[in-house]
Amino acid sequence: KVGELPQEERPQLGKRVNEIKERLLALIDQRSQELKIKELEESVAAERIDITMPGIRPPRAQFHPINQVLQEINDIFVSMGFKIATGPDIETDYYNFGALNFPPDHPARDLQDTFFLKREGLLLRTHTSPVQIRVMQKQRPPIAIIAPGKVFRCDADVSHSPMFHQVEGLLVDHNVSFANLKAVLNAFAQQLFGKETQTRFRPSFFPFTEPSAEVDIQCIFCRGSGCRICQHTGWIEVLGCGMVHPAVFENVNINPQEYSGFAFGMGVERLAMLKYGINDIRLFFEGDIRFLSQF
Ligand code: PHE
């Protein structure tokens, strides 16, 4: 609107307008400076690291409960002087059955119990006992070994899994007796389950031991008074054992007149279920972190 003013007033107005413009620019400059500083202060405050705050724990892996119990079992026997031996999961009929004195028509050789492979004569071992044969073929007495590992049976319910773990034991020397076997297994049970743990040896049968026994430990849930888990007997079966059968010694060229020995085989899942009070074996193999992280 400068053009609408009389000529003599124009320079005055121009001057005034310039002054106002200078002032506004100065104010804007000052304010934007203040805002920049404020913004910087706020972002420094928001991003400040408190080095005294506790950190966030990263999730940490741990051993599977079966491996924890397996480790514990191994440690107990190693402390008694046993060495650890291993054998293959895929076995031949000879190592799994024949050399262990199973007759050709024994029910364990049935398809219902054993996973046979397509290749003639091969199978998934049904127990860790074949490791006894493999060790005795290579080593002369004295022998004291345990053999931990996976075994496979055509079986599945709350207390049976088609794959589970066993620990085999074998001790061969001069004058080894059934009393020695009882002493070793009692000491083992007391170390795994506590000093007051009672065991019970029941006569049983295995083709590769004579005499044979099954060993129960007093039910740890009811301390022997009888409950659902021990089927009101007060006892839970945890292993099979016996004195090495002379026919087995002959199969590996050890003289049964000169040497005697004992063997045992225990179910690791059974022992772990007892130790931790777990009533369904399938929990071990479902891989649920909520279950596994409790151990
Ligand atoms: N191999 C037997 C089983 O799986 C257990 C056993 C091992 C029994 C050694 C006697 C001696 O049932």
Side-chain angles (χ1 to χ4, degrees):
K1 295 200 174 171
V2 174
E4 291 170 22
L5 286 178
Q7 184 69 41
E8 62 280 6
E9 284 179 26
R10 285 185 197 171
Q12 268 250 300
L13 181 76
K15 203 175 157 222
R16 185 91 184 101
V17 164
N18 271 329
E19 279 168 15
I20 290 170
K21 187 179 125 195
E22 292 299 320
R23 212 163 132 225
L24 280 176
L25 281 174
L27 281 173
I28 289 170
D29 207 45
Q30 188 194 339
R31 184 66 185 143
S32 76
Q33 206 61 31
E34 279 169 17
L35 286 174
K36 264 200 197 121
I37 288 167
K38 195 165 170 250
E39 190 187 25
L40 188 68
E41 277 170 351
E42 276 173 5
S43 90
V44 165
E47 287 165 25
R48 175 150 73 225
I49 295 167
D50 180 353
I51 58 164
T52 66
M53 284 231 302
I56 299 164
R57 211 175 271 285
R60 195 180 54 164
Q62 60 175 64
F63 284 106
H64 191 282
I66 291 301
N67 278 340
Q68 289 183 41
V69 173
L70 208 47
Q71 189 63 55
E72 224 176 302
I73 295 169
N74 289 351
D75 287 349
I76 292 170
F77 285 110
V78 166
S79 79
M80 293 187 205
F82 288 80
K83 297 269 179 280
I84 292 178
T86 55
D89 292 356
I90 295 175
E91 269 296 6
T92 63
D93 181 274
Y94 179 73
Y95 283 105
N96 198 77
F97 296 126
L100 289 162
N101 200 34
F102 281 79
D105 59 352
H106 191 280
R109 293 183 130 150
D110 199 277
L111 257 176
Q112 291 206 306
D113 302 291
T114 303
F115 293 110
F116 290 96
L117 302 189
K118 282 218 180 77
R119 187 115 136 254
E120 181 68 24
L122 292 185
L123 47 82
L124 297 179
R125 67 177 177 189
T126 59
H127 53 178
T128 41
S129 301
V131 184
Q132 288 185 38
I133 304 298
R134 291 184 176 277
V135 169
M136 288 191 287
Q137 278 180 341
K138 280 198 300 239
Q139 194 187 327
R140 299 290 88 185
I143 294 169
I145 58 103
I146 56 162
K150 289 181 168 64
V151 300
F152 307 85
R153 289 183 198 174
C154 239
D155 218 350
D157 60 41
V158 287
S159 54
H160 296 90
S161 158
M163 185 284 295
F164 61 102
H165 298 79
Q166 284 189 334
V167 174
E168 191 80 9
L170 174 70
L171 187 139
V172 184
D173 204 347
H174 298 289
N175 303 315
V176 176
S177 71
F178 201 93
N180 299 148
L181 170 61
K182 286 189 77 170
V184 165
L185 291 179
N186 278 332
F188 163 74
Q190 288 177 3
Q191 283 196 53
L192 192 64
F193 290 108
K195 260 264 156 274
E196 20 9 286
T197 307
Q198 300 286 318
T199 57
R200 178 171 83 167
F201 286 68
R202 277 181 294 107
S204 185
F205 175 81
F206 300 101
F208 42 95
T209 48
E210 181 60 33
S212 304
E214 273 167 335
V215 181
D216 303 334
I217 69 166
Q218 202 172 51
C219 178
I220 55 124
F221 297 101
C222 62
R223 279 283 160 214
S225 62
C227 67
R228 204 176 54 88
I229 306 218
C230 61
Q231 282 150 6
H232 303 283
T233 62
W235 298 91
I236 295 180
E237 188 203 317
V238 289
L239 63 90
C241 64
M243 302 306 293
V244 179
H245 196 292
V248 172
F249 278 142
E250 273 154 20
N251 288 336
V252 292
N253 289 316
I254 290 177
N255 183 357
Q257 309 297 332
E258 195 184 343
Y259 290 105
S260 56
F262 62 70
F264 56 83
M266 59 186 73
V268 179
E269 280 74 5
R270 270 288 168 86
L271 293 168
M273 287 167 83
L274 278 175
K275 202 169 161 64
Y276 296 128
I278 295 158
N279 57 14
D280 188 337
I281 194 171
R282 292 171 295 201
L283 287 165
F284 288 127
F285 306 115
E286 283 166 354
D288 188 331
I289 296 292
R290 292 169 303 178
F291 170 76
L292 296 174
S293 62
Q294 293 175 52
F295 302 95

